[in-house]
Amino acid sequence: MEMKNFRVFFFALLLLASPLLQVARCQSDSETGVAETEGGDLGIVGEDAQDFGDGTFSPAPGVDTVCIFPKNSARVVAAGEETELLVGMKNDGESSVNVIAIQASVHLPFDHSLLVQNLTGQAFNNATVPVSAQATFPYIFAVSKFLQPGTFDLVGSIVYEVDQHPYQSTFYNGTIEVVESGGFISIESVFLVTLGIALLVLFGLWIHGQVKQLSKKTKKAPKVEVGTGTTDASMDEWLQGTAYTQSLSSKSKKKK
C-alpha cells in the first residue's frame, strides 16, 4: 500500500512540473537600431515596419552574407535575455539591394524539422545596399526563458529585394549553447530541489515501513519444550489404571 502511494505521489509531482518544462514562445521586444555602411545611414530597424511574409526564396547572385556574434565567440545565449548578432552583407551584383527583414528560428540539432521556437523578426525601412558596397545589420533576439539549457541549432536568414524580386540568404545555420539566466536561483532549480527532498522523504518513509514489517515477522515465538522431561507425581497418580499407563507399562516390558 505504501509503495502504491509512493508511485501516485511521484507521478503527481511530474504532472505538476510539466508546465515548467514546456517551451514557450518568446515575446521580448527588440530595440531600435541603425544599419550603417561605408556611405552612411541605411535605414531604421523596427519590427512592424513591413510585413515580409513567411515565404522561402533563393539567394540573389552576387550577394554574400556573414554573421558575427560580437564579444560572444562561444555563441552562448542566456535563456530569456537579449542576444545581439551582426549580419554583414556584400553586394557584388549589378543592382542595389533593398533589405526587408531579418528572421530566425531555433531547432533541435538532430532534426531541423522539429521547430523549437520562432524568434521575433526585425523589419527594415529604407535599408539599401548599393552596388559594390557592404552593410552591417544588427539583429537582437531572445530565446524563451523556459527553454531548457543545452545545444540547439539557430537558423537565421535575411530577406531582401533586387529589382523588385524577393530573395533570401541564410547568414547563419549552426549551433548555439543555451544556458540559464544569470539570476541567483531559477524556477527549475527550486522545483528540482523540492522534488529531490520529497523523494528522499518518501524513500525514508518506505525504508521505515519495510523495517517495521520485518521486525514484526522476526519476533520470537514462545518456546515449547519437547523432550524426555520428568512426569509430575500427582499426574502419575491421576492416570493410574487408565489405558495410557497400561500402554506405557507394556512398552517398558518390551524394551526389557
Side-chain angles (χ1 to χ4, degrees):
M1 185 66 181
E2 293 182 359
M3 192 64 184
K4 184 177 181 181
N5 293 334
F6 172 79
R7 292 177 180 175
V8 171
F9 186 75
F10 179 74
F11 284 117
L13 285 176
L14 291 180
L15 289 175
L16 291 175
S18 58
L20 297 176
L21 303 179
Q22 292 178 352
V23 177
R25 175 168 295 187
C26 177
Q27 299 178 351
S28 63
D29 297 330
S30 300
E31 297 179 355
T32 302
V34 177
E36 298 180 353
T37 64
E38 297 174 353
D41 293 343
L42 281 179
I44 299 175
V45 180
E47 294 179 8
D48 301 325
Q50 186 175 352
D51 184 11
F52 48 88
D54 297 327
T56 301
F57 310 102
S58 60
V63 176
D64 297 323
T65 57
V66 68
C67 174
I68 298 175
F69 287 78
K71 299 180 181 180
N72 187 11
S73 59
R75 299 180 180 88
V76 177
V77 177
E81 297 183 2
E82 290 184 343
T83 302
E84 182 183 18
L85 59 82
L86 300 177
V87 181
M89 173 178 284
K90 183 179 180 181
N91 182 12
D92 290 332
E94 298 178 355
S95 302
S96 297
V97 175
N98 180 27
V99 178
I100 299 175
I102 293 177
Q103 56 190 8
S105 57
V106 180
H107 303 259
L108 293 180
F110 54 85
D111 189 355
H112 273 204
S113 63
L114 299 177
L115 176 66
V116 177
Q117 180 183 355
N118 272 321
L119 300 176
T120 302
Q122 286 184 346
F124 295 81
N125 285 331
N126 304 322
T128 303
V129 183
V131 178
S132 300
Q134 298 178 2
T136 302
F137 302 92
Y139 177 57
I140 299 173
F141 66 94
V143 301
S144 171
K145 64 181 179 179
F146 298 106
L147 188 60
Q148 298 298 298
T151 302
F152 297 88
D153 277 1
L154 175 68
V155 179
S157 58
I158 183 168
V159 182
Y160 53 93
E161 288 183 349
V162 178
D163 296 332
Q164 297 184 350
H165 292 286
Y167 295 93
Q168 179 177 329
S169 296
T170 300
F171 58 82
Y172 185 76
N173 186 359
T175 60
I176 57 173
E177 187 70 25
V178 178
V179 297
E180 290 186 356
S181 58
F184 177 74
I185 193 169
S186 63
I187 297 177
E188 180 186 0
S189 300
V190 173
F191 168 75
L192 292 177
V193 171
T194 305
L195 179 61
I197 294 175
L199 291 177
L200 288 176
V201 171
L202 290 174
F203 184 71
L205 293 175
W206 181 77
I207 291 295
H208 177 71
Q210 295 297 319
V211 172
K212 191 174 181 181
Q213 290 182 1
L214 187 62
S215 62
K216 289 181 179 179
K217 293 179 180 180
T218 56
K219 283 185 176 180
K220 292 182 179 180
K223 289 185 178 181
V224 178
E225 295 183 357
V226 180
T228 57
T230 57
T231 307
D232 192 10
S234 60
M235 183 66 67
D236 291 340
E237 293 177 359
W238 183 74
L239 293 174
Q240 283 182 358
T242 63
Y244 175 75
T245 54
Q246 292 177 2
S247 62
L248 288 178
S249 59
S250 62
K251 286 182 181 179
S252 60
K253 289 180 181 180
K254 290 180 181 179
K255 288 181 181 180
K256 291 180 182 180

